[in-house]
Amino acid sequence: MMRLAKLMGVVVLSGLLLVACTGGAPADKRSGTISVIATTSIIGDVVQQVGGEAVAVEVLLAADTDPHTFEPTPRQVAAMTAADVIFINGFGLEEALQPVLDGVAAEGV
């Protein structure tokens, strides 16, 4: 479990550094925060802990939501499109979100 936590921290930090190095436009230019979408609360917590005040994290799936049948609201789709970076779990957890994620990726997020 500790090994997984360390790996997740490295992945999250790498993603944040990648966004910072690519010069992506921050979501809120006044505060300089990076707009982040996390698919689950666990991933959102890790991103928030690593990114601190430099990130504005929005979690898509509530703790009691079935990720396999989740359907994002139009507001959530717009948030994913506008985000600087999206963190996902993988391993088929976001299968229901895959068409939306593919569309967002095609738009350049």
Side-chain angles (χ1 to χ4, degrees):
M1 187 65 162
M2 182 60 116
R3 185 173 176 192
L4 179 62
K6 286 181 181 180
L7 178 60
M8 182 62 98
V10 169
V11 170
V12 169
L13 183 57
S14 298
L16 291 173
L17 289 174
L18 179 62
V19 170
C21 292
T22 60
D28 184 349
K29 293 180 181 179
R30 291 169 296 177
S31 67
T33 59
I34 298 169
S35 172
V36 177
I37 298 291
T39 55
T40 67
S41 59
I42 295 171
I43 293 171
D45 288 344
V46 171
V47 172
Q48 189 64 65
Q49 290 297 315
V50 173
E53 293 180 9
V55 297
V57 179
E58 179 177 339
V59 176
L60 293 180
L61 300 167
D64 60 346
T65 304
D66 180 356
H68 300 99
T69 60
F70 173 75
E71 292 186 31
T73 65
R75 191 197 69 71
Q76 289 173 317
V77 173
M80 286 189 281
T81 302
D84 293 312
V85 64
I86 299 173
F87 287 94
I88 65 172
N89 180 65
F91 299 110
L93 183 68
E94 294 90 354
E95 189 172 328
L97 277 174
Q98 200 58 53
V100 176
L101 293 170
D102 290 343
V104 170
E107 291 182 29
V109 171

